[in-house]
Amino acid sequence: MNKLYWVAFKSLIIKEVTRFSRIWVQTLVPPAITMTLYFIIFGNLIGSRIGEMGGFSYMAYIVPGLIMMSVITNSYSNVASSFFSAKLQRNIEELMVAPVPNYIIIAGYVGGGVCRGLAVGFLVSVVSLFFVDLHIAHLGVIVATVVLTSILFSLGG
């Protein structure tokens, strides 16, 4: 990769991470609160009536799905909101006329979406520890699945 392209890629990722970090109360806290409500409502209230699922408590059964749901939602919404805000603020034109290939621009936005998705996934995982003990069988498979899912849905955004 050309050195100038690397600078553009790094700049786009820094811009995206700064954008969602600056307003962390709006981007990182609401998913954690939402997942806490899911854990309380579906896990504790409904889960106590359902019982076990394949040898796991209902709460332990839904935790991986809730974590992935938050990763997917935030990876997608970060890229989509970035493009819409760039369009509304009329600075997308500057990006389009810059001497940077489209794949670098897309990779920068996807990198920002992946960072937000992973950050929210980590927060939701920490919140889930207050409700259930997580047992990780294959950490590498989990990390690869979460990262690849975040990339896929960032590309969709």
Side-chain angles (χ1 to χ4, degrees):
M1 185 185 308
N2 189 344
K3 185 177 180 182
L4 291 177
Y5 294 164
W6 180 252
V7 170
F9 174 72
K10 200 166 65 170
S11 298
L12 281 170
I13 288 184
I14 289 171
K15 181 189 85 141
E16 286 299 303
V17 171
T18 303
R19 187 185 70 80
F20 78 77
S21 298
R22 190 172 8 134
I23 53 173
W24 63 272
V25 175
Q26 296 173 357
T27 56
L28 301 177
V29 173
I33 293 172
T34 302
M35 291 304 130
T36 303
L37 293 174
Y38 274 118
F39 290 135
I40 292 171
I41 294 168
F42 291 111
N44 287 339
L45 299 178
I46 296 174
S48 61
R49 295 180 182 165
I50 292 176
E52 289 194 359
M53 306 279 292
F56 295 98
S57 69
Y58 184 71
M59 179 73 91
Y61 179 76
I62 66 169
V63 165
L66 292 176
I67 292 170
M68 286 302 287
M69 184 176 76
S70 65
V71 169
I72 288 169
T73 304
N74 284 281
S75 296
Y76 174 84
S77 66
N78 187 71
V79 177
S81 65
S82 291
F83 273 123
F84 277 115
S85 68
K87 180 183 174 191
L88 293 174
Q89 294 172 357
R90 304 187 68 65
N91 62 7
I92 192 82
E93 292 89 0
E94 298 170 2
L95 191 59
M96 298 309 290
V97 300
V100 178
N102 291 339
Y103 69 89
I104 297 292
I105 295 169
I106 291 170
Y109 278 100
V110 167
V114 168
C115 288
R116 179 173 166 187
L118 295 179
V120 169
F122 176 76
L123 286 174
V124 171
S125 298
V126 169
V127 167
S128 71
L129 293 175
F130 290 109
F131 297 97
V132 68
D133 290 331
L134 289 179
H135 299 285
I136 298 173
H138 302 287
L139 183 63
V141 173
I142 291 172
V143 170
T145 303
V146 171
V147 169
L148 290 174
T149 303
S150 183
I151 290 171
L152 179 69
F153 281 91
S154 291
L155 283 169

